[in-house]
Amino acid sequence: MTPGGCRVAANRAHPSRTGILRTMPPFQRRDITVPARVRFAPSPTGNLHVGGARTALFSWLVARHTGGVYVLRLEDTDLERSTPESEAQILRSLEWLGLDWDEGPYRQSERSDVYLRSIDRLKAAGVVYAAWETEQELEIQREQARQNRRAPVVRGRRDWTEDQIAGFVAEGRRPAWRFAVDLAGRTVIDDYVRGEVTFEHTAIEDFVVARSDDTPTYNLAAAIDDLEMGITHVIRGEDHLSNTPKQMMVIRALGGTTPEYAHIPLILGPDKKRLSKRHGAASVEDLRAAGFVQPAVLNALALLGWSFDDKTTMFTVGELIEKFSVARISKSPAIFDLKKLEVLNGRYLRMMSTDEFTDVLLEHLERTGFFDGKDAAARDLARESVPAVKRKLTTLADYDPLAGWLFRPLEIEPEAWATLAGDVRRSIQAIGGGLARLELLEAFTLDAIKDALQDQLHILGEDARGFLEPQRIALTGQRVSTGIYESLLLAGREEAVARYRHTLGRLAEIWVA
Ligand code: GLU
């Protein structure tokens, strides 16, 4: 048994309850073949992170693959932690990812009467009981269990006398309502990913379904919603596995049919530790702000625990819908590797047509405040710069360090200045020579610029680097930038000449000194 009290059937030697190893038969992986009604049920208590987005995607793919329905449900019963901002952010991220929903968003905060009615039905069915214990009394129970090395499984007392109850009421106590777990039973989940998972009920606490202020707990609300919304398949993170038997008990107590479940594996960082901010795996919005494009993020998410054939890493949305199958979701933890996402992103950027690339680049620059959308000149300049940067970007955020100089007055970076100042005479010769040739050009075209500078390079007997690096620094102020010939063309003769003169002036100052 795992600490969570569940037993997983698998194709390996496995200790039975008596401790004798026995081999469970391998389970037959199945696909979902009926039109599935699935839901994505985020809690709007924070941003949509990689894990949540992966759950959203897998659920959406099941709905689309089977011709089913995708329901969006916001689990906002935690009023203190739920915020409209995070709700808006989740919806924005889903829209950006292209995960459109067919129903909802439903909000649990708007469904209180549904839960109250269900709690009444559970009371009437006699499967829940009033729990009068205070939090302090419960903690004592848990502590005793820990001391006796038992799992701290909470059960409320059910043998209060009428006088005792009257006393509690007089004190102003109000009971929570706990589900009376049938201790003789067990719940078996026939999971699409994990196979048969058995929970012995002795290891499951009498979980609270309604708090003393009548508000429903997550396990109640989720179960009731899955039932009432006719959810046929629940696809969610493995961290919810221990909630599943509780939700199944509630649904069964109400005479309902439980959905089928696919618990998808945990996501770890490359260091095999649980995924966290440390791994750069922030929210979908953060990935967007960092310059990742939608198809790269979508594919990286799809490959978190699912694969088609071990080698394909780029799918169109149509291919994902066609090929996705819960039967190919791995049981072992998935690894989120930002480096791999970067590689994928670069590949997507290079594959884009110039028009597509221009659209995503301009949208990114405007959204991240690089320029004001109304600044037509800046937009045009960015558009013109596309051929010079398209093959050089890994993420859209690389644009600024490479090409941002075009939009700002010349400012020579300290280490670039050190390069020039290291050999002032040679720098002046290279930049002065370059300047003269640029000024003399008849037509300021890419070919003419290239020919003239190459010629000057030979006249000076310089190597390419020794000659071209000072040109680049004089123009951009940086040692790394868009290609020098393209950069000159983009800046235009007038601007280029002014920058060269400015740099020469500064060099002259230290030459004289
Ligand atoms: N609201 C839960 C969460 O965000 C998900 C519940 C579920 O999928 O059942 O973790």
Side-chain angles (χ1 to χ4, degrees):
M1 291 244 261
T2 63
C6 72
R7 198 143 42 82
V8 181
N11 184 22
R12 58 189 158 88
H14 196 92
S16 74
R17 283 229 284 164
T18 49
I20 298 166
L21 284 178
R22 65 194 160 97
T23 305
M24 312 288 278
F27 85 97
Q28 283 296 318
R29 295 298 299 260
R30 305 166 287 151
D31 199 0
I32 300 172
T33 48
V34 294
R37 269 183 76 83
V38 299
R39 73 334 185 257
F40 176 52
S43 305
T45 52
N47 304 337
L48 185 64
H49 282 254
V50 167
R54 193 261 314 245
T55 302
L57 173 63
F58 282 19
S59 305
W60 183 84
L61 287 171
V62 165
R64 295 294 172 257
H65 178 83
T66 62
V69 175
Y70 190 54
V71 176
L72 179 59
R73 176 169 90 215
L74 294 158
E75 304 206 321
D76 58 351
T77 48
D78 185 342
L79 293 177
E80 265 161 40
R81 293 178 55 228
S82 302
T83 65
E85 295 76 42
S86 82
E87 179 180 317
Q89 210 217 43
I90 290 168
L91 300 190
R92 241 188 349 257
S93 296
L94 291 175
E95 277 163 14
W96 181 67
L97 289 168
L99 308 182
D100 55 333
W101 51 94
D102 307 305
E103 281 182 30
Y106 298 111
R107 285 179 191 80
Q108 289 189 328
S109 58
E110 291 165 5
R111 295 169 52 79
S112 317
D113 48 335
V114 176
Y115 309 126
L116 284 175
R117 262 202 317 273
S118 305
I119 293 164
D120 283 343
R121 283 180 59 202
L122 292 171
K123 288 179 189 169
V127 291
V128 295
Y129 62 90
W132 294 97
E133 288 85 352
T134 61
E135 193 42 49
Q136 250 171 347
E137 287 161 352
L138 293 174
E139 197 35 53
I140 294 170
Q141 240 192 67
R142 291 190 197 104
E143 188 47 42
Q144 276 170 353
R146 276 192 285 268
Q147 276 173 13
N148 297 330
R149 294 177 183 280
R150 280 187 288 112
V153 179
V154 170
R155 308 212 183 277
R157 269 183 63 179
R158 298 193 226 168
D159 57 355
W160 304 109
T161 62
E162 279 184 20
D163 283 351
Q164 281 171 316
I165 292 175
F168 295 146
V169 174
E171 267 174 44
R173 276 200 211 186
R174 295 193 58 193
W177 291 84
R178 286 184 183 273
F179 194 94
V181 173
D182 166 20
L183 296 186
R186 58 171 57 161
T187 295
V188 182
I189 309 168
D190 190 8
D191 193 272
Y192 279 93
V193 179
R194 306 184 55 96
E196 242 178 47
V197 186
T198 304
F199 285 86
E200 301 294 342
H201 287 186
T202 43
I204 300 180
E205 67 174 8
D206 285 352
F207 53 100
V208 174
V209 292
R211 302 186 190 91
S212 54
D213 61 1
D214 283 342
T215 55
T217 57
Y218 156 68
N219 275 318
L220 182 93
I224 299 302
D225 283 347
D226 286 344
L227 177 61
E228 299 233 337
M229 294 176 184
I231 300 303
T232 58
H233 296 79
V234 170
I235 295 108
R236 64 180 170 197
E238 194 183 288
D239 47 333
H240 281 291
L241 191 59
S242 62
N243 288 319
T244 302
K246 298 175 185 170
Q247 294 172 14
M248 289 170 78
M249 284 178 206
V250 170
I251 293 173
R252 284 179 178 152
L254 292 171
T257 308
T258 54
E260 296 196 45
Y261 296 89
H263 287 92
I264 58 185
L266 289 179
I267 306 179
L268 309 178
D271 58 359
K272 305 279 160 69
K273 302 243 167 65
R274 208 167 165 163
L275 193 65
S276 75
K277 279 218 156 128
R278 247 173 336 110
H279 301 104
S283 61
V284 172
E285 292 235 323
D286 288 339
L287 291 175
R288 224 183 140 185
F292 291 100
V293 291
Q294 188 265 3
V297 174
L298 202 70
N299 272 271
L301 290 173
L303 293 171
L304 284 175
W306 172 81
S307 66
F308 174 61
D309 59 5
D310 296 341
K311 56 175 192 291
T312 317
T313 56
M314 292 168 105
F315 301 88
T316 63
V317 175
E319 286 165 347
L320 282 178
I321 292 174
E322 186 202 319
K323 297 186 183 344
F324 190 81
S325 149
V326 287
R328 290 198 57 90
I329 298 176
S330 161
K331 250 197 302 208
S332 16
I335 309 283
F336 176 80
D337 188 344
L338 200 65
K339 290 266 170 314
K340 282 197 183 154
L341 175 57
E342 282 171 2
V343 172
L344 199 58
N345 203 64
R347 284 169 66 191
Y348 271 105
L349 286 177
R350 288 190 293 278
M351 263 172 50
M352 285 180 183
S353 71
T354 303
D355 283 350
E356 275 174 319
F357 182 93
T358 308
D359 285 349
V360 296
L361 177 67
L362 293 188
E363 189 278 331
H364 174 83
L365 295 177
E366 193 175 330
R367 177 167 36 82
T368 54
F370 179 84
F371 58 57
D372 179 346
K374 291 188 213 74
D375 185 345
R379 287 183 76 85
D380 287 347
L381 191 53
R383 201 185 292 279
E384 279 170 43
S385 71
V386 164
V389 294
K390 184 162 181 283
R391 299 198 61 79
K392 297 191 175 208
L393 301 190
T394 299
T395 73
L396 297 170
D398 295 337
Y399 183 81
D400 191 347
L402 268 182
W405 63 269
L406 254 176
F407 300 77
R408 295 185 282 264
L410 177 64
E411 199 181 307
I412 303 176
E413 287 174 355
E415 70 274 22
W417 180 250
T419 309
L420 293 186
D423 190 341
V424 183
R425 197 188 135 88
R426 192 175 173 197
S427 300
I428 290 180
Q429 226 174 37
I431 297 169
L435 174 63
R437 299 301 297 256
L438 295 176
E439 281 185 306
L440 283 173
L441 278 182
E442 260 177 44
F444 203 70
T445 62
L446 190 64
D447 286 344
I449 296 169
K450 195 169 174 181
D451 289 347
L453 291 187
Q454 288 285 335
D455 190 44
Q456 185 65 22
L457 183 160
H458 290 124
I459 291 173
L460 291 176
E462 274 284 11
D463 57 273
R465 192 185 150 85
F467 179 73
L468 293 176
E469 188 166 57
Q471 315 295 317
R472 184 193 299 280
I473 297 172
L475 180 73
T476 69
Q478 305 171 182
R479 295 178 60 191
V480 181
S481 72
T482 34
I484 179 62
Y485 308 121
E486 290 148 323
S487 298
L488 284 161
L489 186 69
L490 281 169
R493 174 151 34 195
E494 204 181 316
E495 176 70 17
V497 164
R499 290 175 177 235
Y500 269 59
R501 289 212 175 114
H502 175 86
T503 311
L504 277 176
R506 280 190 60 190
L507 284 168
E509 277 169 33
I510 55 170
W511 178 243
V512 185

